[in-house]
Amino acid sequence: MPRFSANGVNLYYEVTGEGFPLVWSHEFAGGYESWDPQVKFFSRRYQVITYAARGYPPSDVPTDPEAYSQEQAVEDLRLLLQHLGIQQAHLGGLSMGGNVVLNFGFTHPNVAKALIVASTGAGTVDRERFLREGEELAQRLLSQGMTAVAEEYAGGPTRVQFRRKDPKGWGEFHQGLAAHSALGSALTFRGVQLKRATIYALGDRLRQLSVPTLILIGDEDEPCVEPAIFMKRHIPRSGLVVFPQAGHTINLEEPDLFNRAVLDFLTAVEADRWVRRSTVAAAGTLLPR
């Protein structure tokens, strides 16, 4: 099994195909295998790289809570690229992974040729409730285990769309979630999700982000809709794709729409046709010109 050491924590990764590197970072409830529809599609023309974050077997599960943070997640991605000898890549992520690649774009803009930020921003809206429910989730993971929590989590209001459209795919997602490490998941939620900056707090950094960025969102993914619009308004070289009647896990729920939107974006970036807006988040006139 291919692994590399990220500051002493062994992380698992997979490389499929040949061409310019395209790296995918997974969500809290997913894993490296959550990107299978994208690996199968994009490996026809890219070198596609997926990996399991720390706390997600077959990667190591550190027991020290201090081993988990947004900053460490960004550093893990940097160390993966360094291990593979990659100097520049397209970087994509969903939810937790979307936050990772977005923050990677802030800190390593010369390495990121393009950013794909999907279903990102949970915890930005209704912050106090998010913090309260997130700590309750972490406590339940440690006291009840992964299987009990996965049943409720996989059936939440931003996941039912997936179950309605693709019961088999949702079942596989549910089984994968139930197989996660309860300890790794609890420490990840406490160390990463509950402590990372909200999208609203990143306004200045978003305005300064020069990397071409595609933002994707399901219109029924309520915690992430407003943060997605905020990112679109603040990132100069950004575009926003909204999937109708879609929830959180849009790369699995709507794989064809997701893949085609991303492919069109990468094609535009590679042709230097993904433009910068002349004004961003400015009041301006209310009349069309």
Side-chain angles (χ1 to χ4, degrees), residues 24 53-54 79 140 144 156-157 176 182 205 212 247:
W24 294 104
R54 59 177 58 210
L79 291 171
R140 288 185 58 205
Q144 299 178 22
R205 303 191 79 180

Side-chain angles (χ1 to χ4, degrees), residues 141-168:
L141 284 166
L142 296 175
S143 63
Q144 299 178 22
M146 201 72 220
T147 301
V149 175
E151 182 68 30
E152 178 181 337
Y153 198 92
T158 64
R159 310 280 181 174
V160 293
Q161 300 85 355
F162 185 16
R163 181 171 58 188
R164 182 183 71 245
K165 297 174 186 177
D166 181 5
K168 182 176 181 180

Side-chain angles (χ1 to χ4, degrees), residues 241-289:
V241 177
V242 181
F243 297 153
Q245 294 195 332
H248 192 64
T249 320
I250 49 177
N251 71 303
L252 296 174
E253 182 184 328
E254 298 286 1
D256 184 59
L257 290 176
F258 185 94
N259 291 345
R260 290 295 173 179
V262 171
L263 180 60
D264 285 349
F265 165 64
L266 295 180
T267 300
V269 170
E270 290 160 3
D272 197 23
R273 298 296 298 273
W274 192 258
V275 301
R276 177 187 179 93
R277 291 178 66 187
S278 57
T279 58
V280 178
T285 178
L286 296 179
L287 300 177
R289 291 182 176 179

Side-chain angles (χ1 to χ4, degrees), residues 66-124:
E66 297 301 317
Y68 298 83
S69 69
Q70 179 76 80
E71 294 75 18
Q72 185 58 64
V74 171
E75 177 65 1
D76 286 347
L77 177 54
R78 187 192 71 81
L79 291 171
L80 171 61
L81 297 178
Q82 176 180 284
H83 171 75
L84 295 173
I86 294 173
Q87 297 182 349
Q88 192 176 49
H90 299 313
L91 304 173
L94 187 135
S95 195
M96 179 177 78
N99 272 285
V100 171
V101 301
L102 178 64
N103 281 270
F104 189 98
F106 296 151
T107 54
H108 307 290
N110 294 331
V111 179
K113 185 174 180 64
L115 300 176
I116 303 145
V117 181
S119 304
T120 297
T124 297

Side-chain angles (χ1 to χ4, degrees), residues 130-148:
F130 175 80
L131 294 175
R132 182 180 67 254
E133 293 183 351
E135 179 55 32
E136 291 172 355
L137 172 66
Q139 292 177 6
R140 288 185 58 205
L141 284 166
L142 296 175
S143 63
Q144 299 178 22
M146 201 72 220
T147 301

Side-chain angles (χ1 to χ4, degrees), residues 120-231:
T120 297
T124 297
V125 179
D126 203 353
R127 181 70 176 171
E128 293 304 316
R129 178 180 177 183
F130 175 80
L131 294 175
R132 182 180 67 254
E133 293 183 351
E135 179 55 32
E136 291 172 355
L137 172 66
Q139 292 177 6
R140 288 185 58 205
L141 284 166
L142 296 175
S143 63
Q144 299 178 22
M146 201 72 220
T147 301
V149 175
E151 182 68 30
E152 178 181 337
Y153 198 92
T158 64
R159 310 280 181 174
V160 293
Q161 300 85 355
F162 185 16
R163 181 171 58 188
R164 182 183 71 245
K165 297 174 186 177
D166 181 5
K168 182 176 181 180
W170 178 88
E172 293 170 350
F173 160 78
H174 180 201
Q175 290 176 359
L177 174 59
H180 287 178
S181 164
L183 175 62
S185 296
L187 294 181
T188 295
F189 214 97
R190 281 177 171 166
V192 180
Q193 276 85 337
L194 295 183
K195 294 182 179 180
R196 69 192 177 201
T198 68
I199 296 299
Y200 292 166
L202 297 174
D204 289 341
R205 303 191 79 180
L206 294 171
R207 290 188 189 94
Q208 297 169 9
L209 183 62
S210 60
V211 182
T213 303
L214 181 67
I215 305 154
L216 305 102
I217 189 70
D219 65 353
E220 295 180 8
D221 187 7
E222 292 292 342
C224 298
V225 170
E226 292 178 27
I229 296 170
F230 186 87
M231 285 188 282

